Amino acid sequence: MGEKILYAFISVFLTINYGFLLNGLIRKIYARVGRRHGIPFYQMYIDLLKSLALRTNIRHGVMFYLGPVFRFTGGIGLFLFMPVIFGSELFANFSFSGDLLLLLSFQFFGTLGMALGASESGHPNSAIGVTRGLAQMTAVEVPFVMALMAIAVQYQSISLHEIVAAQQGGITNWTLFTNPLAVVAGMLAVLGSFMRPPFDVVLAPQEIPIGPPTEYHSNYMVYLQSNRAIYPLAKSILIMNLFFGGATSFGEMMLKTFLVIMWSVFVGVSFPRFRVEQSIRWFLGIPLIIGVLAIVYVQFFLN
Amino acid sequence: MSLEDLYRKTTISPDGEEFEINPIEDYFCTDKPEEVKPVQNILEKFYNWARSESIWILGFGTGCGAIEMRPLMTPRFDAYRYGIQWRPTPRQANLLIISGYLSTKTLKRVIRVYEQMQNPKYVMALGSCTINGGMYFDSYNTIKRLDYYLPVDVYVAGCMPRPEALLAGVVKLKTLIKTGMAEGANDYANRFDWYKTNQKAVILNWDMPDYNW
Amino acid sequence: MFQKIIEKINLKYPIDVVSKKSDKLMFLTVHKNTAVNTVQYLKDDLGFKHLVLLTAVDFLEQGKFQLTYLLNNPDIKIDIGVRVLIERESATMESAHSLWPTIATYQRELREMFGIDFPDSPGVNDEFILEGWNNTPPYRRDFDTKAFAANFYHQRNSRENNDPSAHMKKNLYPNE
Ligand code: SF4
């Protein structure tokens, strides 16, 4: 067990750093698409240092502390209960049979934590900010769960480990080829949880100066930013495990998650933002229909 | 909120119960700001470097100059190169740019915003209006020199300064931070009473606590 | 076009002065008592539905304020300004907020900047731009803005004021 914890620390540490650099790279890509030189790719680290170096900070009570902690826990938890690299003890983390259901609930954990923390900060607009976030999150989950269920039925399992194991042995065994409908539905739905355009109005900080993180600074900010590094990565590891055959080495993991994240980046730089109600309508449209079709397909044609 | 709402008074609850409230004490912290002396060691130098390389500007524009700040985000000037980013809230920002004349009404808001920022914080003032009144030197409603009301780290002259001048101002601010000379927040805490006297001399209806955390 | 409008108004309310500025713009000066009625007539019956602005001019020497209701008829694309002169001493004017609710904002501004009262206008005594002003209303011409600014706000003493043309002449063409 002790070893396991140590391994978990190592894998979290590596992944967070990978996430920071990846985020820097993505900002660079955004800048280059806009024909700008862009911020340095290591800017994240400086920002963290700066936030840590603030000399004063403001407290609003216990829940205010716990908000970012919950959020960070949501990201880390999502990461820790997944087998990151198939067959590697170091990166197996704490995955167990039935973890798929746990992962689903962990996605909400962060936003709910922020809801509690932000309401304690006394910011009058935090409630509407959190509500918008949760509403969109819920709309994202619906098609995503459809895709998950299609896969669970297909492999007769809700253990991520078994799902990955079933996809080993050649590229044609990936869900991508055995159940393309579920993959399409899942990939469309997951765009909503990468916090990039067109679905980032809920947190776009410059346009809407409201929302949960308004009051957070210094150390709390460090938590939130670390979460922003690890959460999309954890999400893309989940996608990789479900759809693209998992990874058997760190290099493969990096490549596949990179490509999954690039998918959201490409969509992000090409499309303008949706308003919240528009994006909810969108998620409950095409992705949901494809998701339902995927289940029908699995149920009646695959077995 | 009007002036009378801020002081101690008796209210009647929906159940008909009478009780006394004092909004200034109930909702606001009345402590004064405190100076946090920087420890002169290598860590502080390192931190100062980090602060200077990560400047978060508060998106708050006053006067004509607010329009000159926008080009900084565009490809032509691209302030992001210098580690500058815009933040929507005073809690996270560490640079407040006063982009032009300040009417006393805006000054009141600016003071609130400035006080909500966390130490260390910097102020950059643009344009002749903040330096000596500029073309509004005879206006009934605008202040003429900002450094009487807030500690200013860098003035950028011009009417209006071009974005290049603004960038030059930021680079100057960076050197100030690196050498540890941009201690506006501590200055504000030290000479708090002086600043407050000046502020209250021009803001006629002071309907807020003395220090807005 | 204007002639017809003037005739129609004249049947109901007296007009003192007509000053035609162009094919599209005309000013009528009317009595204080009938001013709001004239405006209402223009709005309800002659199609001047859009209130462009309500503003005031201070005629200090005559001891009068001149109010101008600038109206626009979007169908025939014509502007008419209805002018009315009111006494400067304890200036009051009938409120027109029953015609356009938005006019209350103009009246609030005039109340603050010129000290013209509009009884019954909603929120007319609320602060508009100035907060806690306790001096002569600043747009009145007997208010000395420069002296006020010099006394009230902290100055930077190094400031020099130059007359632009004299300054340029001295610096650029000293010999002429
Ligand atoms: S300095 Fe010039 S441009 Fe700037 S606020 Fe004053 S008048 Fe406007």
Side-chain angles (χ1 to χ4, degrees), chain B residues 104-105 108-109 130-134 137-145 147-149 155 198 201-202 204-205, chain C residues 113 127-134 138-139 143 145-146 148-157 159-161:
Chain B
T104 48
K105 188 172 177 176
K108 194 158 121 190
R109 276 77 184 166
T130 51
I131 300 173
N132 60 10
F137 74 101
D138 59 353
S139 162
Y140 59 90
N141 205 20
T142 58
I143 58 159
K144 289 198 243 179
R145 51 180 303 183
D147 44 15
Y148 262 69
Y149 311 100
Y155 275 116
N198 290 341
V202 296
L204 291 171
N205 66 336
Chain C
M113 291 306 192
E127 287 165 336
F128 185 61
I129 298 176
L130 310 171
E131 291 184 336
W133 186 261
N134 50 14
Y139 280 5
F143 174 70
T145 325
K146 196 172 170 192
F148 174 79
N151 291 331
F152 193 65
Y153 298 107
H154 302 104
Q155 309 239 31
R156 190 179 294 274
N157 290 330
R159 183 183 170 110
E160 285 174 24
N161 289 321

Side-chain angles (χ1 to χ4, degrees), chain A residues 58-283:
Chain A
I58 300 287
R59 296 153 298 249
H60 292 285
V62 178
M63 271 333 285
F64 185 74
Y65 279 113
L66 288 184
V69 176
F70 276 15
R71 181 122 195 164
F72 193 47
T73 316
I76 295 261
L78 191 60
F79 175 76
L80 277 185
F81 287 104
M82 271 189 303
V84 176
I85 291 172
F86 181 70
S88 144
E89 207 186 329
L90 178 58
F91 283 98
N93 290 341
F94 299 97
S95 80
F96 62 99
S97 57
D99 48 6
L100 211 49
L101 296 181
L102 184 75
L103 294 181
L104 273 182
S105 50
F106 255 119
Q107 302 189 3
F108 269 102
F109 202 66
T111 322
L112 284 175
M114 283 304 283
L116 295 173
S119 62
E120 180 116 345
S121 75
H123 179 44
N125 287 330
S126 64
I128 182 79
V130 171
T131 318
R132 284 149 49 106
L134 278 176
Q136 177 168 324
M137 198 79 170
T138 316
V140 170
E141 287 302 84
V142 177
F144 192 68
V145 169
M146 289 294 161
L148 280 191
M149 288 204 306
I151 290 172
V153 174
Q154 181 188 356
Y155 295 115
Q156 297 292 328
S157 161
I158 49 168
S159 156
L160 212 48
H161 189 80
E162 286 174 21
I163 292 177
V164 177
Q167 295 180 57
Q168 297 305 309
I171 204 168
T172 45
N173 287 351
W174 292 5
T175 320
L176 177 63
F177 296 102
T178 55
N179 189 357
L181 282 175
V183 175
V184 172
M187 288 304 275
L188 289 179
V190 87
L191 286 176
S193 47
F194 277 119
M195 304 183 251
R196 296 229 163 70
F199 304 110
D200 65 344
V201 162
V202 284
L203 73 154
Q206 313 289 355
E207 278 77 10
I208 310 141
I210 63 164
T214 307
E215 276 287 309
Y216 287 107
H217 54 281
S218 84
N219 302 359
Y220 320 114
M221 197 68 197
V222 173
Y223 274 119
L224 293 182
Q225 293 210 316
S226 313
N227 179 55
R228 272 191 94 163
I230 200 167
Y231 181 79
L233 211 53
K235 198 83 195 196
S236 60
I237 292 172
L238 176 65
I239 295 294
M240 171 189 85
N241 281 336
L242 286 174
F243 301 145
F244 302 113
T248 47
S249 66
F250 197 74
E252 195 185 344
M253 189 275 279
M254 274 174 70
L255 182 68
K256 282 184 178 170
T257 51
F258 180 76
L259 290 177
V260 171
I261 288 190
M262 277 307 126
W263 153 244
S264 81
V265 172
F266 283 142
V267 175
V269 293
S270 336
F271 291 99
R273 287 197 177 101
F274 277 147
R275 291 200 307 267
V276 175
E277 77 274 17
Q278 286 171 329
S279 62
I280 288 178
R281 223 170 278 149
W282 189 83
F283 279 120

Side-chain angles (χ1 to χ4, degrees), chain B residues 63-65 99-101 127-129 135-136 158-160:
Chain B
C64 324
S99 51
Y101 60 81
S128 20
C129 279
M135 63 186 264
Y136 293 104
C159 175
M160 190 63 218

Side-chain angles (χ1 to χ4, degrees), chain C residues 20 106 127 140 162:
Chain C
K20 202 170 157 221
Y106 288 108
E127 287 165 336
R140 289 196 176 211
N162 289 311

